[in-house]
Amino acid sequence: MSPAPVIIAIDGRSGAGKTTLGVELAALLRAHHKVSLFHLEDIYPGWDGLAAGVERYVSTVLTPLSRGEAATWTSWDWANHYDGDARVTLPAEIVIVEGVGAASEAARPFLSAVIWAESPDDVRRTRALDRDGDTYTPFWDQWAAQEEEWLDRDDVPGRADLRVNNLADGSAPVDLLRLLPYLPALAPVLAPELSARRGLRLHAERLDLAPDAPALFHSLYGSSPNAVWLDSSNHRDATEGPGQDRTPAERSRFSIMADDAGTFGQFVTHRAGVSLVSAGSSMVKVPGPFFRWLNTVWGRRAVRTPEDYPGQFTLGWLGCLGYELKRETGGSDLAAPTPDAALIFAGRAVVLDHAERTAWLLALEAPDAGEWLARARTAVHAAASGPAGAVGAAAAGGSTGVVRPGPPAFRSRDTGALYRAKIAAAQHEIAQGNTYEVCLTTTLEARIPADTLDPWTTYLALRRRNPAPFASYLRLGGLAVASTSPERFLKIASDGGMRAEPIKGTRRRAADPQEDSQLRADLAASLKDRAENIMIVDLLRNDLSHFAVPGSVTVSRLCAIESYATVHQMVSTIDARLLPGAPRAEAVAACFPAGSMTGAPKISTMAILDRLEAGPRGLYSGAIGYFSLNSATDLAVAIRTLVIDARGGGAADLTLGVGGAITSDSVAEEEYEEIRTKAFGVLSTLGAEFPDD
């Protein structure tokens, strides 16, 4: 008797290419494992024998194999239409079973993983009849009817762990092998495949050119369904000089752009405890918390940072985390219309160093890396030699204005009167000792025809009007995110340095220099704003301390004032050093969501916010950034962020979250005016008005 094997079933309708897929996947797995392969077509008792064949398969094949015993079973003689000879399938470390019904309800208790293969109906019929010739033709409809009857009562596709669009071009087995290790049941046995992820080699190439960023992004990623641009759009304004703070310039040094194409590309979305990860033609469903999944794919150093490369990003995952991930960090479980997380894995990217005015091409060594590097070099040279600034943006496929039939008409989740009433309710909670500070938010929403607003040109207009150190443009399938965030949530450097930079305290900018200076001075002198900021600093010191070296948590800046295109902000900086060997995904989770977007204390205040806000925040007040292969991360707070969700049917939903911190001495009218100020940058770009009622 052998140890119980891992059993993988490949199921699907006839002609979906299961046999070839099983053979090719087995060949790949045999590089590190002993593999047995079983074909159900050898056991079906005739053309009307689907149900009986599945019963034989479960009782005589799966049952003994699952115990680590050899399976002795009776084959079917298709020429004589009767039982054939007895055959034996030996157990192995991995057993692959393929055929119609391989993952039937009776079989699933024995299976470690279920793969559902699918192909278009016309392709399946042609493929099956070409393989089996005239012998199958008279029985196609009879067999297909059995399949439909079986699937009507047994939703195997819905129960599958992985689904693959089997194009029969050789890509499916490779794609599947990249995703199989994500399944907890397979991860231990697929340790060699997992270790290969940590043996990656990085190519880094410096180009002494300063390309126009919008033109470059449009050239390389304009047609990519999934692409991310982490855009330090205020780098021209973030200069340092005598007496100036270095921090804004440091935050604005690098821009990163990438998509999920190429050998290593992947795309993951997470909703309510299930991660869907796609690679090429295949997709795997991974149950479990998002941060637990993140811990399996990030946090251990997988590549070395090139010695002369000044950045922290060395390829990896990029995208956004939604506020509703708080369910994993002490908050309640709410569902949002947008994903709780959406990330791409980039095996190649362009990084712009605005300080050195250079471009870096990063690529993991792969068969297609050379072709991409050549294309990227050409694109960088073209974007560097073409027109810059606004003209360059227009050449990139859009203008710096947003053209539409009319501005979207936003409605607010809360009327002005209701928001003011919620401020009073928050102050009552403070008076009762249930919280010290409540970051009360609301959501502005509009539904428009999808073809009346282009996310790309909208983002170009936003970045021109309100440049920011953590601006970003994300295109993730039907979801687009256009952010002009000025706030860092959390940075963990590859060497373990940690930094959070919360913002609490906002004043509008004024056209008159004297008035503008007075507004800045008013913010700097405001005791209320300083109190808000200091409370969040204390909260973040606690969050960082969970995984920090004792005594390493320090506050290097307290209540500093930074000015942006439309607002003045009060910013503090908290630094710490990560404990050696600490799980980095858990360190991020310990700080999530950003304390500046909840209030203090965090967990009890999140519960209060759930009652007051009466709806999900979605991506707003979550995080946007990267998780790098050298174990670094840099995440911004998702504020000043327009989310464009294309619903299908020709409609798109626009959402813009706004809020502010409520303390015991907050004045309702001033707090309401603050959220109008925060919404102004996005709304004015769209030509829209704040909905007062």
Side-chain angles (χ1 to χ4, degrees):
M1 182 182 298
S2 302
V6 166
I7 304 178
I8 301 171
I10 302 176
D11 209 332
R13 292 178 174 88
S14 289
K18 300 179 296 300
T19 301
T20 302
L21 185 58
V23 170
E24 292 176 346
L25 181 60
L28 292 175
L29 288 168
R30 285 185 177 120
H32 300 288
H33 312 277
K34 292 184 177 179
V35 181
S36 284
L37 185 59
F38 175 78
H39 305 284
L40 265 73
E41 65 181 23
D42 294 334
I43 205 172
Y44 301 128
W47 292 110
D48 60 352
L50 175 56
V54 168
E55 184 178 339
R56 286 186 176 193
Y57 149 68
V58 172
S59 61
T60 64
V61 178
L62 276 186
T63 299
L65 285 179
S66 67
R67 298 194 296 255
E69 301 170 357
T72 301
W73 48 278
T74 302
S75 65
W76 182 254
D77 187 335
W78 290 93
N80 295 312
H81 303 285
Y82 201 72
D83 284 343
D85 56 349
R87 299 185 187 177
V88 175
T89 298
L90 296 176
E93 184 184 13
I94 297 174
V95 174
I96 296 176
V97 293
E98 66 80 19
V100 179
S104 294
E105 183 177 13
R108 286 198 290 271
F110 299 96
L111 304 176
S112 306
V114 172
I115 298 170
W116 178 263
E118 48 197 18
S119 293
D121 289 347
D122 56 337
V123 172
R124 290 192 301 104
R125 182 185 177 95
T126 300
R127 187 184 289 164
L129 298 184
D130 285 349
R131 182 193 65 192
D132 293 330
D134 295 338
T135 58
Y136 195 176
T137 304
F139 303 103
W140 172 265
D141 291 335
Q142 178 182 348
W143 187 264
Q146 292 176 83
E147 292 179 356
E148 292 306 314
E149 181 183 354
W150 158 57
L151 291 173
D152 282 344
R153 63 175 186 272
D154 187 0
D155 182 19
V156 178
R159 300 296 187 98
D161 301 296
L162 298 99
R163 298 184 70 155
V164 55
N165 181 22
N166 193 8
L167 304 176
D169 60 356
S171 64
V174 176
D175 293 339
L176 284 172
L177 193 57
R178 292 161 62 194
L179 298 181
L180 281 168
Y182 287 135
L183 294 174
L186 299 190
V189 74
L190 296 182
E193 285 75 12
L194 277 168
S195 65
R197 294 180 184 169
R198 295 189 283 274
L200 303 172
R201 299 184 65 181
L202 174 65
H203 172 89
E205 178 178 336
R206 171 176 167 149
L207 300 176
D208 291 317
L209 297 166
D212 179 72
L216 179 60
F217 183 85
H218 186 76
S219 172
L220 283 175
Y221 307 114
S223 61
S224 301
N226 302 313
V228 172
W229 179 14
L230 303 181
D231 174 25
S232 296
S233 59
N234 74 327
H235 63 88
R236 291 186 180 89
D237 303 320
T239 55
E240 57 180 272
Q244 289 184 290
D245 194 335
R246 290 176 52 88
T247 303
E250 291 169 349
R251 282 202 301 260
S252 303
R253 179 171 178 178
F254 298 102
S255 294
I256 301 166
M257 49 186 71
D259 68 3
D260 63 347
T263 296
F264 293 98
Q266 296 180 39
F267 177 47
V268 59
T269 58
H270 182 93
R271 291 179 185 269
V274 177
S275 297
L276 297 178
V277 191
S278 60
S281 62
S282 302
M283 182 177 67
V284 62
K285 181 167 57 179
V286 186
F290 170 80
F291 286 108
R292 182 184 300 169
W293 173 85
L294 182 63
N295 195 54
T296 67
V297 299
W298 172 75
R300 297 181 182 178
R301 192 166 301 176
V303 300
R304 293 178 179 270
T305 305
E307 290 184 6
D308 56 346
Y309 171 64
Q312 283 286 306
F313 177 71
T314 56
L315 302 175
W317 297 93
L318 309 96
C320 53
L321 314 183
Y323 177 74
E324 271 62 53
L325 282 177
K326 67 184 173 66
R327 71 169 61 86
E328 300 182 18
T329 63
S332 62
D333 186 358
L334 289 179
T338 50
D340 297 329
L343 302 168
I344 64 169
F345 183 87
R348 54 207 195 186
V350 179
V351 178
L352 304 182
D353 182 347
H354 301 297
E356 298 290 334
R357 295 183 59 78
T358 59
W360 286 85
L361 309 183
L362 307 180
L364 296 176
E365 288 194 0
D368 57 356
E371 178 186 352
W372 179 83
L373 287 166
R375 185 161 60 89
R377 283 187 211 103
T378 300
V380 170
H381 279 274
S385 60
V391 179
S399 69
T400 55
V402 183
V403 180
R404 66 179 63 79
F410 281 89
R411 61 192 180 279
S412 178
R413 181 180 290 170
D414 303 302
T415 63
L418 182 55
Y419 191 77
R420 293 178 182 93
K422 290 182 176 183
I423 292 172
Q427 289 177 315
H428 176 73
E429 295 284 355
I430 294 169
Q432 294 295 308
N434 299 325
T435 180
Y436 302 107
E437 179 180 357
V438 180
C439 187
L440 181 66
T441 78
T442 191
T443 302
L444 310 184
E445 302 169 310
R447 179 168 294 179
I448 61 172
D451 59 2
T452 63
L453 185 143
D454 175 45
W456 170 240
T457 54
T458 299
Y459 176 67
L460 292 180
L462 280 172
R463 81 186 291 269
R464 179 168 174 80
R465 187 177 188 88
N466 189 28
F470 295 107
S472 58
Y473 175 67
L474 285 67
R475 185 171 58 242
L476 302 169
L479 186 70
V481 181
S483 178
T484 57
S485 174
E487 181 175 359
R488 170 176 276 142
F489 162 46
L490 178 66
K491 177 180 181 179
I492 305 177
S494 59
D495 65 1
M498 305 172 74
R499 171 167 288 186
E501 295 182 285
I503 289 175
K504 269 286 162 269
T506 303
R507 294 292 186 276
R508 65 178 177 84
R509 297 297 303 269
D512 176 66
Q514 186 173 357
E515 182 186 0
D516 190 61
S517 178
Q518 181 57 47
L519 287 166
R520 180 183 171 105
D522 177 69
L523 177 59
S526 169
L527 295 179
K528 171 188 172 294
D529 289 295
R530 289 181 66 86
E532 291 177 7
N533 197 295
I534 290 169
M535 278 190 275
I536 298 305
V537 167
D538 281 342
L539 186 155
L540 286 173
R541 288 172 64 231
N542 178 69
D543 285 350
L544 291 174
S545 70
H546 290 299
F547 289 93
V549 173
S552 69
V553 181
T554 59
V555 179
S556 56
R557 288 197 314 164
L558 187 62
C559 299
I561 306 300
E562 295 182 359
S563 297
Y564 296 91
T566 59
V567 291
H568 300 292
Q569 305 272 208
M570 184 178 285
V571 187
S572 293
T573 301
I574 306 100
D575 292 304
R577 180 149 297 278
L578 187 71
L579 278 168
R584 295 193 172 212
E586 291 186 31
V588 174
C591 298
F592 190 89
S596 61
M597 299 306 298
T598 61
K602 184 184 288 187
I603 293 176
S604 60
T605 305
M606 286 194 294
I608 292 169
L609 287 167
D610 286 341
R611 296 194 299 270
L612 291 179
E613 295 180 355
R617 295 185 181 181
L619 296 180
Y620 168 61
S621 68
I624 299 172
Y626 67 75
F627 301 95
S628 174
L629 288 174
N630 63 354
S631 70
T633 184
D634 203 355
L635 301 167
V637 182
I639 55 175
R640 319 290 199 272
T641 297
L642 180 69
V643 178
I644 306 167
D645 188 6
R647 302 170 56 87
D653 282 340
L654 312 183
T655 57
L656 174 66
V658 287
I662 309 303
T663 62
S664 59
D665 58 352
S666 289
V667 176
E669 195 57 44
E670 293 177 358
E671 295 294 346
Y672 190 63
E673 185 60 32
E674 182 173 323
I675 68 170
R676 292 170 58 92
T677 297
K678 290 174 176 176
F680 176 77
V682 173
L683 293 182
S684 61
T685 303
L686 298 174
E689 299 289 337
F690 192 97
D692 286 319
D693 293 307

